Amino acid sequence: MTGYLERALNLRPGDFGRGILLFLYLFLILASYTIGKVARDALFLDRFDAVKLPWADLASAFLVGLVVAAYLFVARRISLRNLLVGCLLLYSATCVLFWYLAHFHQQPWLFPVFYIWVGIFGVLSTMQVWKLANFVLTTREAKRIFGLVGAGAISGAIFGGFASRVTVKAYGTEGLLMGMAVCLAICACLVVLIWRQRQLNPLESGVHEAEQPTIVDSLRQIASSPYLLAIASVICMSSFVTTFAGWQFKAIARQFIPEKDALALFFSDFSFLVGILGLATQMLLTSRVLRRFGLGLTLYVVPVALLGGTIGVLAGGTLLAAVLLKGSDQVLRYSIDKSSIELLYLPLATGFKLRVKSFIDTFIWRLGDGLAALTLVLFADRLRFSARDVGWVNLIFIGGWLAAAYFARRQYVHTLRDSIRRHRLDVERVDTPVLDRSTIEIFSDRLVSTDPKEILYALSLFETESRRRVHPAVRGLLYHPAPEVRRKALALQTEAGDRLLLPEVEPLLRDSDLEVRTEALLYLAHHAHVDPLHKIEELGDFPDFSIRSAMAAFLSRPGDTQNLETVTRILDAMIEDESPDGPRSRREAARLLATVPGPFDAHVERLLADPDLEVQRHALRAIGRQHRRHLLTAAIERLADPALAADAALALSMFGDSIVGTLRDYLGDPAQSTELRASVAQALVRIGTPAAGRALMENLLESETNLRFLILSSLNKLREAHPGLELDTLMLESILAAEIMGHYRSYQILNTLGGSLDSHSAVSSAMNESMQQEVERMFRLLTLLHPGYDFHSAYVGLQSTNAVVHDNALEFLDNVLKPALRNTLVPLLDSEVSVSERARLGASLCHTGVESREAAVAELVSSDDPWLKACGVYAIGTLGLTSLRKQLESCLNHPDPLLRETARQAKVRLAEQKGAPAAD
């Protein structure tokens, strides 16, 4: 029966059990509140004019502050369960007391007091139900289950209206009070059961219910948080407007129905009928509207309906117009609107939500009632506006409600974004490899290390990424105790051309370490126009390579001392040095060529072929810094070498836009290796110009999926570094649509192959890896299309095993994506949507299905993705699909080595199964 109800109500397995107790609790609370409203309105209007109602509402609003203060005082000292149970028993006992006084001691003060008490009870009791619901349910569960829970409110209103009619006929209006007492006593028992359910919820471990702030603290928290201020504004404005509409309804009803019991019957019938309409709305529309439109629409439903109802009352002023006004409020406020308001609280941290929700749902709600009552006293009692004419005043506040709803919706999205962003930062802080973070961040972190190895590692990273930038922190390392750190820091400053260090480098010529003295000599020769021979004669004890390098640097400078012929001979000697210092000599020659212009391309080319990687790295920098175009092809070829790819990309980026066309040709050339083309994309990112962006965009349709992913990643980095970069939006949208369709197709294939069944677990696992990359490509495309939204944090949040984080990420997507995209993308990401459900959606979107295993495997083998091809080939051998032998044969000569080997093994398996019947 439970499973049938869950399917009928569009719930997930287990949802019904989590929601039914909350449904019953809210059912009885609203039944009691409806009965109480019927009784209080009829009893009050029997003895007082309608214009006196605002005075009672004003008193209620004033007293609610005292009641809330007492409530928070008690809440800090006992558990939430005991607080709720105690409140319910107190409500029940109070109803019995009022019944006794109404029967035997009808004093004039009794009915205003009862009227005020019902108002306070209605705010506190309903708030307590939704408070429990917020603790038990996550964001996504709430969007599904709030429809069921909210139906309890409407069903309770229906029952309350029906029970009121029966009770009034049998026992009179006063008899309604005993009905309230019975319902509230039953609620106390339900709270105990719901509390047990909450205790089993792992998401709430460690939360202590007694951590309640004072009223002043709550006001400060709301004032300091734009999001809480938005929620409070919506609730205050909605309370104001609905109080106005409620008074108009009661005042007009009193004009047409003067007798007490008849008026009570009218209110009972009204509550019963609008309850039925509200229940139908709740069961048929609320969940669907929330899931389809989110808060983008539902927060506006009630204010727009009341806008129309108020205009109707202003135009007619009849009882029917008043019924339509109040009816639209009752039907929608306890269905779509109430669920929407409760959703606003869900992104808040549990402990924080605990501290503010009670205050907002009581004090702020009654503040709206009080402001409305005060306004009604002014316009209805003092200025003698009729029940019809006060609608003009209400129109202004309906406009304020709409504005508050708009603000709240924006803040809701921002809060979800901040929540999933915090999770992403936590994940990256713990799990991200060091090299995936920004180089400057690593650099700054490691410079404070006491370990010289840590500092040298940071300096090497800075050297790789730097474009001759000067980092102030490096200067302080010239006095580091470790000589290797001093030497490396000075070498970086030499390459960066930092002339501010001249006074500090001179003393280093007398450093105790020879390597440091050598680096100081080279620095002065490069940047101080100092004749190195004078320094050598003065100080002595320098290695040959440093003397040669310093002399070449000195003689290459423009001016009277320039002698390029001698420089050429010195460089030849350094490059041909066969002594033990030969590698260091060639390294210094390469460093020198990165700083001096001139006809030295042949020397750079020789150094580029040197077996020493450090020599090659400096030679690549020489190509980039001196823009040696004759060596451009040689630099591009080094992109295919993983050890030199980063240096080559950095060198090429120094050419700027002048080589973008050449790089675009390499990137689009399928004859080049994937490694080289991927490094070309990185070089384009480093160039970072609109032309580089266009070159990447032109190759975004690359059929090889790994390369397409790398190009897409490069575009993400380029957009992040240059936010103003314009990209082809229509092309990106088309590619995103194709990725989504392809992902649905993957689920169709996976479902046909049996999903995660053990017999096909290897194929399913392989497909899942490829499909995960499909999801990442979709999110990277979303980031390019909408750079203002943090889709990266949403992607990380969806990977979380924490249900709250996962659901918050989905809810964020629900509220920022356009409806058409949301309806196709979110089901692919919701962990509670099964493979078979996604396959059915894919069949409806792709207008075709995958009917058999052979068809599914054939789809895999025909894919452009070598990994998916390998999955299909593996399945041919595993499942014995001899009908696909031709497709298997075509993969034996594929360029991808993994695919060739997989095809060979699959062919062996088919041969072993020869004579056995093929699998279905």
Side-chain angles (χ1 to χ4, degrees):
M1 178 61 72
T2 299
Y4 171 77
L5 289 173
E6 286 175 336
R7 289 191 297 273
L9 297 174
N10 198 25
L11 300 176
R12 298 287 176 193
D15 284 352
F16 186 80
R18 295 173 69 79
I20 189 61
L21 291 178
L22 288 167
F23 169 91
L24 293 173
Y25 182 13
L26 192 56
F27 172 89
L28 292 173
I29 288 294
L30 262 293
S32 302
Y33 185 43
T34 301
I35 293 170
K37 286 194 298 181
V38 169
R40 73 167 188 179
D41 292 341
L43 292 170
F44 187 96
L45 292 172
D46 183 51
R47 289 165 175 78
F48 301 96
D49 292 333
V51 293
K52 301 303 180 184
L53 280 173
W55 289 101
D57 290 327
L58 190 59
S60 177
F62 173 76
L63 290 173
V64 78
L66 300 177
V67 173
V68 170
Y71 178 85
L72 295 178
F73 177 82
V74 175
R76 287 193 294 271
R77 287 158 176 78
I78 63 175
S79 71
L80 180 61
R81 185 197 66 173
N82 294 340
L83 178 64
L84 298 184
V85 172
C87 285
L88 289 166
L89 294 177
L90 178 62
Y91 300 151
S92 180
T94 305
C95 289
V96 174
L97 176 62
F98 278 125
W99 171 82
Y100 173 79
L101 293 174
H103 264 286
F104 303 107
H105 303 281
Q106 293 193 5
Q107 299 297 322
W109 54 265
L110 177 62
F111 301 109
V113 170
F114 179 65
Y115 185 98
I116 294 169
W117 180 86
V118 170
I120 296 173
F121 155 74
V123 172
L124 282 175
S125 59
T126 53
M127 172 274 297
Q128 290 167 334
V129 180
W130 288 107
K131 188 174 187 178
L132 277 181
N134 267 273
F135 292 158
V136 172
L137 308 175
T138 69
T139 308
R140 303 297 288 182
E141 287 175 336
K143 291 185 77 172
R144 298 191 304 269
I145 298 175
F146 272 2
L148 172 63
V149 177
I154 302 170
S155 302
I158 296 172
F159 176 78
F162 176 77
S164 297
R165 181 178 184 83
V166 172
T167 304
V168 169
K169 285 185 175 181
Y171 305 105
T173 305
E174 290 80 0
L176 296 172
L177 301 178
M178 287 303 294
M180 289 181 67
V182 173
C183 292
L184 294 170
I186 297 173
C187 286
C189 300
L190 287 173
V191 166
V192 176
L193 297 176
I194 294 170
W195 183 259
R196 291 176 182 173
Q197 186 183 53
R198 174 189 177 274
Q199 290 291 76
L200 297 175
N201 185 359
L203 301 177
E204 302 303 323
S205 59
V207 177
H208 195 273
E209 293 73 29
E211 297 173 1
Q212 295 285 354
T214 64
I215 290 179
V216 175
D217 291 337
S218 298
L219 286 172
R220 286 174 180 168
Q221 288 177 335
I222 292 171
S224 64
S225 168
Y227 186 47
L228 291 177
L229 194 60
I231 296 175
S233 299
V234 170
I235 289 179
C236 186
M237 295 306 299
S238 65
S239 174
F240 188 103
V241 172
T242 53
T243 298
F244 245 70
W247 181 83
Q248 288 179 282
F249 169 68
K250 286 181 263 190
I252 293 174
R254 182 68 174 82
Q255 293 172 11
F256 286 88
I257 309 172
E259 199 271 322
K260 178 187 69 173
D261 286 348
L263 190 60
L265 289 173
F266 169 75
F267 287 146
S268 301
D269 291 339
F270 173 81
S271 298
F272 178 74
L273 292 174
V274 297
I276 290 177
L277 292 175
L279 180 62
T281 302
Q282 181 74 356
M283 302 304 291
L284 299 177
L285 294 179
T286 297
S287 293
R288 289 176 171 83
V289 170
L290 281 173
R291 296 181 70 175
R292 182 173 179 81
F293 300 104
L295 291 181
L297 174 66
T298 53
L299 283 175
Y300 302 106
V301 170
V302 176
V304 170
L306 288 177
L307 177 64
T310 301
I311 292 173
V313 170
L314 287 170
T318 63
L319 181 59
L320 176 61
V323 167
L324 293 175
L325 171 64
K326 186 60 178 176
S328 61
D329 171 33
Q330 292 291 102
V331 169
L332 297 173
R333 186 151 57 100
Y334 291 106
S335 56
I336 294 175
D337 186 68
K338 185 59 178 177
S339 297
S340 301
I341 294 295
E342 293 303 319
L343 278 174
L344 288 175
Y345 287 106
L346 288 170
L348 297 173
T350 300
F352 187 60
K353 176 167 52 183
L354 174 67
R355 292 191 293 271
V356 299
K357 190 177 189 308
S358 298
F359 181 79
I360 292 178
D361 285 354
T362 53
F363 185 86
I364 299 298
W365 187 279
R366 277 305 169 203
L367 177 64
D369 285 350
L371 292 174
L374 189 61
T375 307
L376 283 168
V377 166
L378 174 63
F379 285 94
D381 193 24
R382 298 303 180 188
L383 299 180
R384 300 297 179 182
F385 275 43
S386 67
R388 171 182 175 179
D389 292 337
V390 295
W392 294 109
V393 180
N394 209 20
L395 287 177
I396 298 173
F397 291 96
I398 291 174
W401 187 356
L402 290 169
Y406 173 78
F407 180 59
R409 193 261 175 185
R410 287 175 58 89
Q411 289 299 316
Y412 177 71
V413 174
H414 291 163
T415 304
L416 285 170
R417 180 197 61 197
D418 292 343
S419 172
I420 58 179
R421 180 177 290 171
R422 285 194 300 272
H423 169 74
R424 173 177 65 83
L425 293 175
D426 289 342
V427 170
E428 290 177 348
R429 194 175 294 116
V430 175
D431 296 333
T432 302
V434 172
L435 290 176
D436 286 346
R437 292 184 288 160
S438 72
T439 305
I440 296 301
E441 180 187 343
I442 305 167
F443 186 67
S444 301
D445 289 345
R446 297 206 172 192
L447 285 186
V448 300
S449 173
T450 57
D451 185 356
K453 293 181 180 179
E454 290 282 314
I455 299 176
L456 289 172
Y457 175 64
L459 290 173
S460 66
L461 289 176
F462 185 73
E463 181 182 25
T464 301
E465 293 295 324
S466 174
R467 299 191 184 193
R468 304 192 70 178
R469 294 171 294 181
V470 179
H471 197 289
V474 177
R475 294 170 182 164
L477 296 177
L478 296 179
Y479 308 101
H480 195 277
E484 61 271 24
V485 173
R486 298 198 299 273
R487 190 202 69 78
K488 187 67 174 179
L490 186 53
L492 281 176
Q493 298 300 84
T494 301
E495 294 189 18
D498 186 0
R499 296 177 182 273
L500 298 177
L501 288 179
L502 287 172
E504 300 178 51
V505 174
E506 284 275 1
L508 293 178
L509 289 171
R510 296 173 176 81
D511 193 275
S512 60
D513 185 79
L514 175 61
E515 293 287 331
V516 177
R517 295 200 302 273
T518 302
E519 202 62 55
L521 178 66
L522 293 173
Y523 174 90
L524 292 172
H526 280 273
H527 302 301
H529 200 58
V530 173
D531 187 342
L533 292 178
H534 292 164
K535 295 294 181 182
I536 293 167
E537 290 174 358
E538 178 185 346
L539 301 171
D541 195 18
F542 286 95
D544 287 345
F545 68 81
S546 65
I547 297 172
R548 289 173 177 174
S549 179
M551 286 300 303
F554 178 74
L555 294 173
S556 64
R557 283 179 167 276
D560 295 339
T561 60
Q562 188 181 56
N563 189 334
L564 295 182
E565 184 178 347
T566 302
V567 172
T568 301
R569 288 198 296 270
I570 292 174
L571 288 172
D572 287 338
M574 294 177 73
I575 294 173
E576 295 167 1
D577 189 351
E578 299 294 337
S579 70
D581 284 337
R584 181 64 190 273
S585 182
R586 292 192 296 276
R587 202 173 305 158
E588 291 303 327
R591 286 181 62 191
L592 176 65
L593 288 169
T595 61
V596 298
F600 303 120
D601 285 3
H603 295 83
V604 176
E605 189 171 10
R606 290 164 64 187
L607 291 169
L608 200 58
D610 195 274
D612 187 277
L613 283 177
E614 280 300 310
V615 174
Q616 294 183 56
R617 290 191 177 100
H618 286 292
L620 285 168
R621 292 170 195 169
I623 294 173
R625 288 176 180 172
Q626 298 302 324
H627 290 191
R628 302 182 186 278
R629 292 193 64 90
H630 289 90
L631 299 176
L632 185 61
T633 301
I636 292 176
E637 289 173 352
R638 296 307 188 277
L639 291 171
D641 185 346
L644 296 172
D647 298 277
L650 177 61
L652 292 169
S653 68
M654 296 177 186
F655 284 87
D657 273 350
S658 63
I659 64 166
V660 166
T662 302
L663 294 178
R664 179 177 57 242
D665 294 340
Y666 272 92
L667 183 60
D669 185 359
Q672 303 296 331
S673 67
T674 301
E675 292 78 10
L676 186 145
R677 296 168 74 188
S679 296
V680 166
Q682 294 301 311
L684 289 168
V685 172
R686 287 179 176 272
I687 291 173
T689 62
R694 288 192 293 272
L696 289 169
M697 283 291 297
E698 290 173 12
N699 290 276
L700 197 53
L701 292 174
E702 168 63 41
S703 60
E704 208 281 303
T705 53
N706 288 331
L707 183 59
R708 185 164 77 248
F709 176 79
L710 291 171
I711 293 173
L712 188 53
S713 301
S714 299
L715 274 171
N716 287 129
K717 294 176 183 177
L718 192 60
R719 171 60 73 81
E720 184 178 353
H722 305 279
L725 186 68
E726 294 186 4
L727 301 175
D728 188 340
T729 301
L730 290 177
M731 181 179 180
L732 290 173
E733 288 178 345
S734 300
I735 296 172
L736 177 59
E739 290 284 1
I740 291 174
M741 292 299 102
H743 199 54
Y744 271 112
R745 195 66 174 167
S746 296
Y747 274 109
Q748 288 181 276
I749 295 169
L750 187 63
N751 184 61
T752 303
L753 290 174
S756 57
L757 295 177
D758 292 339
S759 58
H760 314 305
S761 58
V763 177
S764 299
S765 177
M767 281 196 66
N768 285 333
E769 184 174 336
S770 177
M771 291 165 69
Q772 185 59 40
Q773 195 179 86
E774 291 174 356
V775 172
E776 186 171 351
R777 289 201 300 267
M778 288 188 284
F779 272 90
R780 289 188 176 276
L781 286 164
L782 285 171
T783 301
L784 291 174
L785 283 166
H786 307 287
Y789 295 123
D790 194 354
F791 284 109
H792 178 45
S793 294
Y795 173 75
V796 175
L798 289 170
Q799 316 308 312
S800 174
T801 56
N802 185 312
V804 172
V805 175
H806 176 86
D807 285 2
N808 281 349
L810 279 177
E811 185 66 12
F812 173 77
L813 294 175
D814 252 352
N815 283 274
V816 300
L817 295 177
K818 295 178 181 178
L821 182 57
R822 177 177 63 234
N823 295 335
T824 56
L825 183 58
V826 171
L828 288 173
L829 307 172
D830 191 341
S831 60
E832 295 183 348
V833 179
S834 66
V835 171
S836 59
E837 288 176 294
R838 292 172 181 173
R840 285 195 295 272
L841 283 171
S844 64
L845 290 171
C846 301
H847 304 294
T848 182
V850 181
E851 305 300 335
S852 64
R853 290 181 182 176
E854 283 84 351
V857 174
E859 285 267 359
L860 291 175
V861 178
S862 64
S863 169
D864 292 326
D865 185 346
W867 181 251
L868 288 180
K869 274 182 173 290
C871 294
V873 168
Y874 179 87
I876 291 175
T878 302
L879 303 177
L881 303 177
T882 56
S883 60
L884 298 178
R885 188 183 296 275
K886 288 185 178 180
Q887 288 88 332
L888 175 61
E889 295 286 345
S890 67
C891 295
L892 290 171
N893 298 316
H894 195 276
D896 186 88
L898 174 64
L899 179 56
R900 291 199 306 271
E901 178 60 22
T902 306
R904 188 190 64 78
Q905 293 179 4
K907 186 175 181 180
V908 171
R909 289 188 180 181
L910 283 183
E912 292 173 351
Q913 297 173 11
K914 189 175 181 181
D920 291 335

